[in-house]
Amino acid sequence: VKEADDDDDIASHEEKILRKFSSGILFHLVIVAMFAKGSIFLAKHVVHAAAMADAKMKSVKSCELFTLSVVAYALLMATICEELQLSIEAGALFAGIVLIKSPHVPKVLDSIESITSVFGGMFLTSMGTIISPAFVMSHIGTIMLLVICIGLFKMVLVSIVLNRCFDYGITPSLAVGSAMAQISE
C-alpha cells in the first residue's frame, strides 16, 4: 500500500513538472510569435518610411537617414530579443531575415556597406584585447599544429564534397578546398 502511494506521489510530481514545463514552452512560443509579428510590423513601417523620406531628399546624395534607420532597427530588435531572455544574436539575425524580405534590399545592402568595415575593425580590435601574447608565445607549437590540422581537415572535406557530390575533378576540388580552408571566423 505504501509503495502504491509513493508511485502516485511520483506520478503527480512528474505531472506537475510536465505541466509547468509545457506552460513555460508555450509562454516562450507566444512571446517569440509576438516578437516576430512586432518586428515585421516595424520593418514594414519604419524602414519603409525611412526609405520614402530618403527618396524625397534627392538634393542630399548620401543616405544617412536610411542607414541610421536600418542600424537602429537591427539594434532595437537585438535589444528587445535580449529583454525577452533570448539572445542578442537571435534578435539581430531575425532583423536581418526580416530586412531581406523587404523591397528595399539593394538600398539596405548599399547603405550598410560603409559601416561593415567599421564593425569588422571593432571585432578584430576586441579579439586583440582578449588574446594574451604571453600565452600565444608559450603555446605557439600547439597553436600552429591545431591551425594546420584544422586547415587540412577543411581542405580535404571541401574537396571530397565537391568531388563526390558535385562531380568536380580532383584538381579543381583541391583548388577550391585549399581556397576555402582559410575561411573561418
Side-chain angles (χ1 to χ4, degrees), residues 34-181:
M34 288 172 44
F35 171 73
K37 285 290 190 183
S39 65
I40 291 170
F41 175 80
L42 282 174
K44 284 182 179 178
H45 292 86
V46 173
V47 175
H48 181 71
M52 293 302 113
D54 194 47
K56 288 180 183 177
M57 298 189 316
K58 297 239 182 204
S59 61
V60 180
K61 291 190 177 188
S62 61
C63 55
E64 288 92 5
L65 177 65
F66 188 73
T67 303
L68 184 62
S69 69
V70 168
V71 172
Y73 173 72
L75 291 175
L76 176 70
M77 290 300 107
T79 304
I80 290 172
C81 217
E82 182 184 28
E83 290 299 318
L84 295 174
Q85 297 179 346
L86 301 169
S87 69
I88 295 173
E89 296 85 6
L93 174 70
F94 194 76
I97 291 170
V98 170
L99 284 175
I100 286 296
K101 298 283 186 180
S102 79
H104 308 289
V105 173
K107 190 169 186 169
V108 168
L109 293 176
D110 191 42
S111 71
I112 63 170
E113 184 179 356
S114 60
I115 61 173
T116 55
S117 59
V118 173
F119 284 117
M122 287 171 49
F123 171 74
L124 291 175
T125 303
S126 67
M127 289 302 292
T129 61
I130 62 173
I131 295 176
S132 168
F135 177 82
V136 172
M137 292 311 291
S138 65
H139 296 88
I140 192 74
T142 307
I143 293 171
M144 291 305 292
L145 180 66
L146 286 172
V147 168
I148 289 169
C149 287
I150 290 170
L152 286 174
F153 174 75
K154 287 168 51 176
M155 181 184 79
V156 168
L157 181 68
V158 169
S159 299
I160 289 172
V161 168
L162 287 175
N163 187 298
R164 301 263 168 99
C165 296
F166 297 103
D167 293 329
Y168 281 93
I170 296 291
T171 305
S173 24
L174 281 174
V176 171
S178 61
M180 298 277 294

Side-chain angles (χ1 to χ4, degrees), residues 4-23:
D5 288 340
D6 288 342
D7 289 342
D8 288 342
D9 288 342
I10 291 172
S12 66
H13 183 67
E14 288 175 352
E15 287 176 13
K16 288 177 187 176
I17 291 174
L18 185 61
R19 239 182 274 126
K20 188 174 183 180
F21 181 72
S22 62
S23 67

